[in-house]
Amino acid sequence: ELSASQRDLVESMAQIYRLEDVQRINGVEAGIQHFKKYTKKEVIMQLGKGSGKDLTSTVCCSYLVYKLLCLKDPSKYFGKVSGDAIDIINIAINAQQARTVFFKAFKSRINRSPWFRGRYNEKSDSIEFDKAVTVYSGHSERESHEGLNLILAILDEISGFSMTNDSGNMNAKTGQAIYDAFRGSVDSRFPDYGKVVLLSFPRYKGDFISSHYDKMVVEKDVVMREHTFVIDPELAATEDNIFKIKWEEDIIKRYFLPGKVFAVKAPSWEVNPGRSIEDYKDSFLQNPNDAYQRFACMPSGLEDGLFRDEEALRNLMVVRNPIDTSRRLEESWTPK
């Protein structure tokens, strides 16, 4: 079973039908609500490691292919030449991730479903379905993605790509360059129903997934939540046998592109129905900064930074800052 968050993500990634058809399937009022809630151009999954991002993306692709094959002529439905290709791609960081993470799980999902039997042809890095629908497993090390008629592009672990281009090559594979390329490709082919999905846990503050999320989410309420772990459950929950963690929960109120974006930022245990917060106790106890980054989507300031414990560093800064708001040194301040 999928969690409520996972179901919302799958529906947002797979809703490609016109309003009149959604109403015909769901009823007039329910159809309007479903269409408005799930018809998106971009889905941002800033989720902790182990939250089921890959599960959600493979379920989405399977569901989207199913919905395309339910159409008599998918390309004609979207105003294209009858029988024209419709493509879906998952972009991984490298070839190994492309083979072993997304594509392996997607093939397993298709192979285990009786509905798809006899409707596809499996290749080494793609699956060709009936009605000219193809799902590709791609990665950033290849240049063969141009020319695809993309209705869906999934940018897998997008924060694993570099933020800056230090090579001097204008075509270097930064997170922004990859996003721009696939955003443009999807918009040029399917401007109304094409989708780009970004999924990753954040590597550090200001990496691509977190900065793009902050760009698209322009108004939100932030609620602080906490949990108390008992270190040794066989002993009393005294002060030296407990430790607390705190994390942020975003309640999104407004997007930069209203009605076109759906974003979720959440810890692993709140998205994956098969995990509880207690599963992460040892990780938080042994390396809290790493656990906050990987599982709670609350990374430290720098990737592989020298100072990883931001709170401890701030507690050491007890001298008043002599620089005023205009960046001037106060005249009364003298260094030792």
Side-chain angles (χ1 to χ4, degrees):
E1 288 294 322
L2 299 176
S3 67
S5 295
Q6 288 171 330
R7 291 188 70 88
D8 283 342
L9 287 165
V10 168
E11 292 286 2
S12 298
M13 288 189 275
Q15 177 6 53
I16 55 166
Y17 288 162
R18 294 190 291 255
L19 175 59
E20 58 267 28
D21 295 320
V22 177
Q23 289 180 301
R24 181 169 51 82
I25 294 167
N26 295 283
V28 176
E29 290 302 321
I32 292 173
Q33 293 178 11
H34 185 93
F35 185 87
K36 184 177 180 180
K37 182 177 181 180
Y38 294 123
T39 307
K40 307 299 178 185
K41 296 187 67 175
E42 187 161 309
V43 177
I44 304 170
M45 300 166 59
Q46 187 177 185
L47 305 177
K49 199 171 179 64
S51 59
K53 296 187 296 295
D54 295 310
L55 166 74
T56 306
S57 65
T58 56
V59 170
C60 151
C61 282
S62 308
Y63 189 31
L64 179 54
V65 171
Y66 162 77
K67 295 178 81 170
L68 287 169
L69 296 184
C70 283
L71 297 169
K72 290 180 180 180
D73 190 336
S75 58
K76 190 175 180 181
Y77 183 85
F78 295 106
K80 297 183 175 296
V81 176
S82 179
D84 203 5
I86 295 181
D87 301 315
I88 296 166
I89 195 168
N90 183 88
I91 292 294
I93 296 174
N94 52 50
Q96 182 180 2
Q97 187 196 17
R99 286 192 306 269
T100 60
V101 181
F102 169 82
F103 202 53
K104 183 178 179 181
F106 177 69
K107 286 197 296 185
S108 174
R109 227 162 278 299
I110 296 300
N111 291 336
R112 291 165 61 91
S113 171
W115 192 90
F116 285 105
R117 199 164 295 152
R119 290 185 165 100
Y120 65 93
N121 178 30
E122 188 175 316
K123 295 189 175 182
S124 60
D125 62 352
S126 65
I127 298 182
E128 297 177 350
F129 294 89
D130 293 348
K131 303 181 182 179
V133 175
T134 306
V135 175
Y136 293 91
S137 179
H139 56 88
S140 64
E141 297 165 354
R142 290 183 61 182
E143 299 287 347
S144 59
H145 312 314
E146 289 296 324
L148 297 180
N149 286 323
L150 291 176
I151 194 171
L152 172 68
I154 299 175
L155 310 184
D156 199 350
E157 292 302 336
I158 186 68
S159 283
F161 295 95
S162 173
M163 277 290 288
T164 57
N165 179 7
D166 300 321
S167 66
N169 180 1
M170 294 300 292
N171 298 316
K173 301 297 185 180
T174 63
Q176 186 66 51
I178 290 171
Y179 168 80
D180 289 342
F182 284 97
R183 178 76 271 171
S185 182
V186 170
D187 287 346
S188 67
R189 265 70 170 194
F190 296 91
D192 296 323
Y193 295 100
K195 302 167 191 293
V196 173
V197 176
L198 299 85
L199 62 91
S200 186
F201 70 89
R203 268 60 171 183
Y204 55 94
K205 283 183 179 177
D207 70 353
F208 186 79
I209 193 77
S210 54
S211 61
H212 191 75
Y213 173 91
D214 290 340
K215 175 184 176 182
M216 290 297 174
V217 177
V218 296
E219 186 178 355
K220 64 182 181 179
D221 290 332
V222 179
V223 178
M224 292 302 300
R225 300 185 62 185
E226 66 176 47
H227 179 79
T228 301
F229 290 108
V230 178
I231 299 173
D232 188 343
E234 295 185 0
L235 301 178
T238 56
E239 186 174 345
D240 58 351
N241 192 36
I242 63 171
F243 72 100
K244 293 183 179 181
I245 65 168
K246 297 181 180 181
W247 68 94
E248 298 174 351
E249 179 180 308
D250 288 352
I251 301 172
I252 299 173
K253 303 177 76 174
R254 188 163 59 91
Y255 290 104
F256 179 70
L257 300 173
K260 297 180 180 179
V261 178
F262 179 62
V264 176
K265 176 186 175 185
S268 306
W269 57 85
E270 291 196 349
V271 180
N272 189 339
R275 304 297 297 269
S276 75
I277 192 170
E278 286 292 329
D279 295 333
Y280 302 91
K281 181 174 77 172
D282 292 347
S283 297
F284 277 101
L285 184 61
Q286 295 178 75
N287 193 338
N289 291 303
D290 185 74
Y292 269 111
Q293 169 200 326
R294 292 183 186 276
F295 307 123
C297 292
M298 293 180 64
S300 58
L302 293 172
E303 183 178 28
D304 298 324
L306 176 62
F307 299 107
R308 301 304 298 268
D309 193 336
E310 185 175 336
E311 186 176 357
L313 184 63
R314 289 186 180 279
N315 290 338
L316 293 174
M317 294 180 173
V318 294
V319 179
R320 180 175 57 85
N321 187 356
I323 307 296
D324 65 17
T325 55
S326 299
R327 299 190 176 187
R328 297 172 299 190
L329 265 174
E330 295 179 2
E331 292 183 7
S332 60
W333 183 82
T334 358
K336 292 183 181 178

